[in-house]
C-alpha cells in the first residue's frame, strides 16, 4: 500500500506550472523529494495538504482522496514547513495547550520528552528562539500527535550540521515503526542520501525521476575523458556533458548495458547530486 499517490497533478500559475506530475510514496518508507529552489516542491506539498486547489489530477493519502480525507486520518499527518507559522509571543507551554485542543490524539508526555531531548525551554517566547530551536519545536509538535505520515518541507534547511544529524536520527527512529512514512523535501542532498529509501527529482515543475535510491546511483555513471573523445561515446546513453579546462565529464544512463556494448570507456560511480546537476542542465550543459 502507498501512503501517498499523486496522479497527473497539475497546478497553473501565471509564471509557473506544476506539470502533470505523478509519483508514489510507499508506506513505511522515506521519500526524498529534491529539486532546486522554485522547482515546485512546496507547491506539491501544499497540493498534497489541500492548501491549494489543483487544476487537474488526483492525490490519494492512504488510499483516500486528499479532498475527502477523514478527520481522524488528517490528525495522523505531521507537517513541518520551512519557516514556522507559530505566533511569536507563544511559549512551548502555550503551544501545548493549543495543540491539545486541535489534535484529539495529542500526547503531552511525548511532547515534553521531545522538549527535554531538544533542550527547548517551556517558558521562552518563540520569537526568542534561534532558527534551530524553532525548527526543533516544529518537529516536536509534528511528532507529538501520533503521526503516521510526516510531510517535511526543508525541515533541515539552514541548520548547522550537528543539529541536522540529530534531527535526521529522529526521523530514522520514527520510521522504525513500519506503518510510519516520511516525505522529506530538501535541497540538501547529503541529508537525502543519508536517510531516504526513494528519491523523487522535480525540475521546472516536472518529475524527472522517482526511483529507489540505491538503484538510482547504480543506474548512472560518469565518464571522464579528453574533449575529443566525447564524440566517440554512444549518444543514446548520454544524459549530459560538462566540459572544463581538464577535459570532459559525460553522464551515462543504463550503465550495465553501456559497459556491455562499450569496452573503450569505463563509467565511474556517481552521486544523486551529480545526477541532478547533469539532468537539469540538459544534454549539452557546460561546466
Amino acid at each position: 500500500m502507498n501512503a501517498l499517490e499523486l496522479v497527473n497533478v497539475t497546478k497553473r500559475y501565471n509564471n509557473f506550472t506544476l506539470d502533470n506530475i505523478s509519483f508514489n510514496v510507499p508506506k513505511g518508507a522515506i521519500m526524498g523529494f529534491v529539486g532546486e529552489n522554485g522547482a515546485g516542491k512546496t507547491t506539491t506539498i501544499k497540493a498534497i495538504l489541500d492548501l491549494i486547489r489543483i487544476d487537474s489530477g488526483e492525490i490519494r493519502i492512504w488510499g483516500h482522496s486528499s479532498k475527502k480525507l477523514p478527520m481522524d486520518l488528517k490528525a495522523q499527518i505531521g507537517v513541518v514547513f520551512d519557516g514556522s507559522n507559530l505566533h511569536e509571543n507563544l511559549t512551548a507551554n502555550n503551544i501545548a495547550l493549543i495543540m491539545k485542543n486541535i489534535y484529539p490524539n495529542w500526547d503531552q508526555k511525548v511532547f515534553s520528552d521531545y522538549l527535554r531531548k531538544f533542550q527547548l525551554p517551556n517558558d521562552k517566547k518563540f520569537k526568542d528562539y534561534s532558527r534551530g530551536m524553532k525548527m526543533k519545536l516544529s518537529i516536536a509538535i509534528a511528532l507529538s500527535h501520533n503521526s503516521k505520515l510526516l510531510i517535511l518541507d526543508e525541515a533541515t534547511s539552514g541548520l548547522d550540521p550537528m543539529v541536522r544529524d540529530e534531527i535526521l536520527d529522529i526521523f530514522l527512529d520514527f520510521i522504525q515503526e513500519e506503518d510510519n512514512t516520511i516525505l522529506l523535501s530538501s535541497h540538501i542532498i547529503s541529508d537525502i542520501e543519508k536517510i531516504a529509501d526513494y528519491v523523487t527529482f522535480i525540475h521546472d515543475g516536472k518529475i524527472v525521476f522517482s526511483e529507489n535510491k540505491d538503484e538510482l546511483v547504480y543506474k548512472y555513471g560518469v565518464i571522464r575523458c579528453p574533449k575529443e573523445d566525447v564524440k566517440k561515446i554512444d549518444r543514446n546513453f548520454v544524459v549530459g556533458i560538462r566540459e572544463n579546462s581538464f577535459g570532459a565529464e559525460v553522464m551515462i544512463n543504463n550503465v550495465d548495458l553501456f559497459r556491455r556494448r562499450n569496452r573503450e570507456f569505463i563509467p565511474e560511480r556517481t552521486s544523486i547530486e551529480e545526477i541532478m546537476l547533469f539532468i537539469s542542465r540538459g544534454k549539452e550543459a557546460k561546466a
Side-chain angles (χ1 to χ4, degrees), residues 86-92 94-95 98 122-128:
L86 296 170
H87 193 283
E88 290 195 340
N89 287 322
L90 293 176
T91 65
N94 298 148
I95 290 167
I98 293 169
N122 286 288
D123 54 357
K124 190 173 185 177
K125 290 185 178 181
F126 189 69
K127 65 181 179 181
D128 296 324

Side-chain angles (χ1 to χ4, degrees), residues 198-213:
Y198 299 87
V199 179
T200 296
F201 175 33
I202 187 169
H203 173 64
D204 196 22
K206 299 180 178 65
I207 299 297
V208 179
F209 58 71
S210 186
E211 300 186 32
N212 178 285
K213 181 190 69 179

Side-chain angles (χ1 to χ4, degrees), residues 44-268:
T44 301
I45 287 174
K46 287 181 177 179
I48 291 169
L49 296 172
D50 203 28
L51 296 177
I52 58 174
R53 185 184 298 274
I54 61 176
D55 296 316
S56 60
E58 185 178 5
I59 300 171
R60 292 188 290 268
I61 302 176
W62 297 305
H64 299 264
S65 168
S66 62
K67 298 180 181 301
K68 301 177 181 178
L69 196 64
M71 288 303 297
D72 62 323
L73 293 183
K74 284 185 178 180
Q76 294 177 28
I77 301 174
V79 181
V80 177
F81 282 107
D82 179 23
S84 175
N85 295 319
L86 296 170
H87 193 283
E88 290 195 340
N89 287 322
L90 293 176
T91 65
N93 284 333
N94 298 148
I95 290 167
L97 292 173
I98 293 169
M99 295 302 163
K100 181 180 178 181
N101 291 313
I102 293 175
Y103 294 105
N105 45 358
W106 178 258
D107 192 323
Q108 181 59 41
K109 182 181 184 305
V110 171
F111 184 63
S112 297
D113 287 345
Y114 275 117
L115 292 182
R116 284 192 293 272
K117 185 179 183 65
F118 289 152
Q119 297 182 320
L120 298 175
N122 286 288
D123 54 357
K124 190 173 185 177
K125 290 185 178 181
F126 189 69
K127 65 181 179 181
D128 296 324
Y129 276 29
S130 67
R131 176 175 172 78
M133 292 169 69
K134 288 179 178 179
M135 191 58 70
K136 284 181 178 180
L137 180 59
S138 296
I139 291 168
I141 294 168
L143 291 168
S144 296
H145 52 87
N146 194 31
S147 301
K148 299 296 183 184
L149 171 62
L150 289 184
I151 298 179
L152 310 166
D153 187 16
E154 301 289 354
T156 58
S157 175
L159 304 180
D160 68 66
M162 289 186 65
V163 173
R164 280 186 16 233
D165 273 351
E166 181 182 3
I167 289 172
L168 292 178
D169 286 341
I170 294 291
F171 296 158
L172 288 172
D173 287 342
F174 174 81
I175 209 70
Q176 295 309 305
E177 293 287 337
E178 61 183 26
D179 286 343
N180 293 350
T181 307
I182 297 177
L183 175 65
L184 173 60
S185 163
S186 180
H187 66 271
I188 304 174
I189 307 306
S190 60
D191 289 353
I192 301 299
E193 289 180 326
K194 179 177 179 180
I195 69 170
D197 303 297
Y198 299 87
V199 179
T200 296
F201 175 33
I202 187 169
H203 173 64
D204 196 22
K206 299 180 178 65
I207 299 297
V208 179
F209 58 71
S210 186
E211 300 186 32
N212 178 285
K213 181 190 69 179
D214 294 332
E215 292 176 4
L216 180 66
V217 295
Y218 283 104
K219 182 177 179 180
Y220 294 89
V222 175
I223 296 168
R224 294 175 172 85
C225 62
K227 295 178 185 178
E228 57 269 22
D229 285 352
V230 171
K231 60 181 179 294
K232 300 177 184 178
I233 300 173
D234 187 341
R235 305 292 289 189
N236 292 320
F237 293 91
V238 174
V239 173
I241 302 167
R242 298 193 298 183
E243 294 183 356
N244 53 49
S245 57
F246 302 102
E249 296 176 318
V250 182
M251 178 156 284
I252 298 298
N253 194 0
N254 203 343
V255 168
D256 287 343
L257 181 59
F258 178 85
R259 284 176 175 150
R260 290 197 296 270
R261 294 185 178 179
N262 301 270
R263 303 293 183 180
E264 183 178 354
F265 300 99
I266 302 176
E268 301 174 12

